[in-house]
Structures are given as structure tokens and as C-alpha cells.
Amino acid sequence: MRPHVLIARAVFPQILTLLEQHFEVTSNQDDELWTPAQLIEKLQGKQGVFTTGSQRIDATVLGSCPDLKICANMAVGYNNFDLEAMTTAGVKATNTPDVLTETTADFGFALIMATARRMAESERFLRAGLWNRWRYDMFAGSDVHGSTLGILGMGRIGQAIARRGAHGFGMKVIYHNRSRLDAPTEAACGATLVSKQELLQQSDHLILVLPYTPESHHAIGAAELAQMKPTATLINIARGGIVDDAALALALKNGVIAAAGLDVFEGEPALHPDLLTVPNVVLTPHIASATLPTRLAMAQLAADNLIGFLLHGKAVTALN
Ligand code: 8YV
């Protein structure tokens, strides 16, 4: 009998077709958002599940779904997985590394540029019909080229951002990470390891690219923001919860830092209401990996993990 898999969210039609060639598939092309209880119900009798960041797989789910053998996340981040519980339950976990690195780094840079050069704020001004003359300091922002780029978290995406900054924009690149990169990688990135305090104090543009874990919860809060330059910008393309959004909204309002660019939020898709009232923030709805080729490559890799593991016993990008 063919294995049963559940696709928890809408997917590209060709990925659905591919999975249907190999499995009995229950899909969700209407893209309904299931509660955890509904997810458990849908998972009954399924050996595999295709998840996105919005399905939490934890001990409760695992305990209620004894047939489940693999969860294939269409995301590189996997904070929606309780990996330890999955390993204990003997359930394979996979993610989608590499295929989104360059696209996500492009977006990180787009957000650095948009934030430093006040693109969202000035567009809102123009659309509101307020542009009636030139002024010497109108939407004067900060330079990106030649400035100091700080990177918190230096995995694949952090390194791709560093290369863009160092080699494309002539930036001084500093980073803070749990471990130091090897010398050739550091040289290729043009990046220097510093302490977290030095990173906060020296960065003109600070970008967060670290995984969300209990240790990185509120890694940037009021105390950290207070150490940054008043002219600095902060960019979060990692995960909501790494920044204390309430503290950030207050810091933006009070000019503790100049501006922020945020693609991820605590409790998204809900936003801290104060972020909507401060002008000096660029807000995007978690789209850093969103180009069609990259999203297709992510979906293909998640599907390949299901096929590889359930049919041939080997996942392509296993986490456990
Ligand atoms: C996903 C992401 O779009 O890969 C990640 O970790 O944050 C995004 O690329 C999102 O998680 C949906 O699965």
C-alpha cells in the first residue's frame, strides 16, 4: 500500500501532482488554517506531513499521531518543531536549507537599503499627495556603502549578506555568532568576529539572521537598543520573538535608533500595534524567501524529503 501524506497548506500544483504520483495525498489547496486539534485529526493514518512554519509539531501532536514517521518543513527555520520530542518519538524532521540562501540575503539587503534610505516612509508621503517642493533634508537617511554592517548570527544567510556588504558595498562587516567562522570563510565574507556589545555599539546597520531558540528570545530588547548608535538601523529577517517588538516600537518613537526594517514579528501575522504608528519602520509580511523560483525549490526539496524518506529510507536534508 502507498504511504499516506498530508500537505498542511496550499502548495504549487506541480508539487501536489508530484506527491500524488508517489503517495495517497490529503491536500489543503483551499489553504484553511487548522487548529492544533484539527491538524491532529487530519494526521490520523498519515505517515508523512508537509508542513510550513505555521504548524507546530510537538509532543502532544506526536503522542496523538502514532503513524507519523516524517515531518518535512518547507522552511529552513524549524522553531515550529520540537526536535527533541521528534527524535524521542522516532519521527524524522527535515527542513529546506541552501535553496533559499541567496534569495533571502537579497531581501535582507533590500530591507537594509529601504530602511537606511527611508523608502517606505517617503513613498507614503508621496502617495498622500504631500510632495510639493524639494528640501535639503527631505527624507535624508544614512549611507549604506562604506558603513559598518553588523550581523548577528553567521550561518549561510548571514554569510551571503556579509559577501554582499563587503564586496558589493564596500562595507566594514562585523559579526557575532556562537562560533567563529574558519579563516577562509571569514576572508570570503570579509567579516570580523566581535563581541555582542561591540556589535551593538559599532554597527551602522545591524541585521539579525540567527535561529529562534529559548536563548535568542528577546536577544534585542531595550537594553540592547540603548547600546546602539542613535543613527543606526536594525533589520530583522530571522524570526519574531528575537526582538522585543514593544521595546523596539518605543525606541523608534524616542529616537534611540534611527529606523528599523522588519519582515518577522512576535505573534505574526498579528503586529504590535505601536509598530503601525511609528513612521521610521519598514514592514513586510515575512517574504524574505518569496521569489517564485525559490519558493518552488523549497517546496520541491520538502517533497523530495518525503519521497526520499518514505520510499527509499533516506531524507535529503535531515535534522535528526
Ligand atoms: C518561510 C522562513 O517562508 O525558511 C524559513 O525559515 O522563514 C521562510 O522562508 C516560512 O517559514 C514559511 O514556511
Side-chain angles (χ1 to χ4, degrees):
M1 222 178 64
R2 302 201 309 168
H4 272 74
V5 305
L6 175 70
I7 309 177
R9 296 291 307 274
V11 285
F12 290 96
Q14 59 268 52
I15 299 299
L16 176 57
T17 305
L18 170 70
L19 288 171
E20 282 173 344
Q21 283 163 8
H22 298 280
F23 305 116
E24 297 304 318
V25 174
T26 300
S27 62
N28 180 14
Q29 291 302 77
D30 290 338
D31 214 25
E32 285 172 16
L33 290 178
W34 298 327
T35 62
Q38 286 171 314
L39 177 65
I40 288 173
E41 193 191 312
K42 303 272 181 193
L43 278 172
Q44 295 311 303
K46 309 294 188 303
Q47 285 77 49
V49 60
F50 182 118
T51 53
T52 69
S54 40
Q55 289 77 52
R56 174 113 190 110
I57 304 293
D58 57 15
T60 309
V61 173
L62 297 165
S64 314
C65 304
D67 298 313
L68 197 58
K69 292 188 168 58
I70 174 171
C71 302
N73 218 25
M74 182 186 150
V76 66
Y78 51 89
N79 54 302
N80 57 315
F81 286 176
D82 181 338
L83 198 56
E84 213 178 292
M86 292 174 77
T87 306
T88 306
V91 172
K92 183 64 70 183
T94 66
N95 68 340
T96 58
D98 300 319
V99 290
L100 48 59
T101 300
E102 299 299 329
T103 293
T104 304
D106 281 353
F107 191 84
F109 234 89
L111 217 41
I112 292 170
M113 300 285 286
T115 303
R117 300 303 305 272
R118 305 176 64 178
M119 290 182 72
E121 200 183 342
S122 60
E123 193 193 352
R124 284 194 297 272
F125 168 88
L126 185 150
R127 284 179 184 275
L130 297 171
W131 185 29
N132 54 17
R133 68 176 95 169
W134 180 93
R135 205 188 126 86
Y136 75 96
D137 62 350
M138 190 168 78
F139 293 108
S142 57
D143 275 321
V144 173
H145 75 274
S147 66
T148 297
L149 172 63
I151 305 179
L152 185 57
M154 199 58 156
R156 305 171 188 86
I157 298 170
Q159 291 170 34
I161 291 169
R163 289 194 300 272
R164 283 160 175 74
H167 306 310
F169 286 79
M171 298 171 93
K172 176 181 173 189
V173 180
I174 53 178
Y175 74 98
H176 182 71
N177 197 39
R178 272 173 309 185
S179 53
R180 185 173 183 170
L181 299 177
D182 59 46
T185 311
E186 256 189 10
C189 291
T192 307
L193 181 72
V194 295
S195 68
K196 185 175 172 188
Q197 192 183 13
E198 287 169 323
L199 188 82
L200 293 167
Q201 292 174 348
Q202 293 175 19
S203 297
D204 293 312
H205 306 290
L206 174 60
I207 186 160
L208 311 179
V209 212
L210 67 169
Y212 182 62
T213 62
E215 294 75 48
S216 66
H217 179 74
H218 286 189
I220 302 291
E224 289 75 19
L225 291 161
Q227 292 184 62
M228 293 175 68
K229 298 180 186 181
T231 50
T233 71
L234 174 73
I235 310 297
N236 188 7
I237 58 165
R239 277 292 180 271
I242 293 175
V243 175
D244 177 344
D245 284 350
L248 176 61
L250 194 64
L252 290 167
K253 194 172 154 209
N254 294 339
V256 174
I257 63 168
L262 306 174
D263 187 49
V264 289
F265 306 88
E266 279 188 287
E268 66 186 49
L271 259 67
H272 191 288
D274 293 353
L275 286 175
L276 294 171
T277 63
V278 282
N280 45 342
V281 60
V282 181
L283 305 168
T284 53
H286 202 147
I287 56 168
S289 67
T291 65
L292 280 174
T294 290
R295 283 285 167 84
L296 185 58
M298 291 164 69
Q300 178 74 49
L301 182 50
D304 288 345
N305 274 313
L306 288 170
I307 296 165
F309 187 70
L310 288 173
L311 300 184
H312 310 291
K314 195 163 169 41
V316 188
T317 47
L319 291 165
N320 62 356

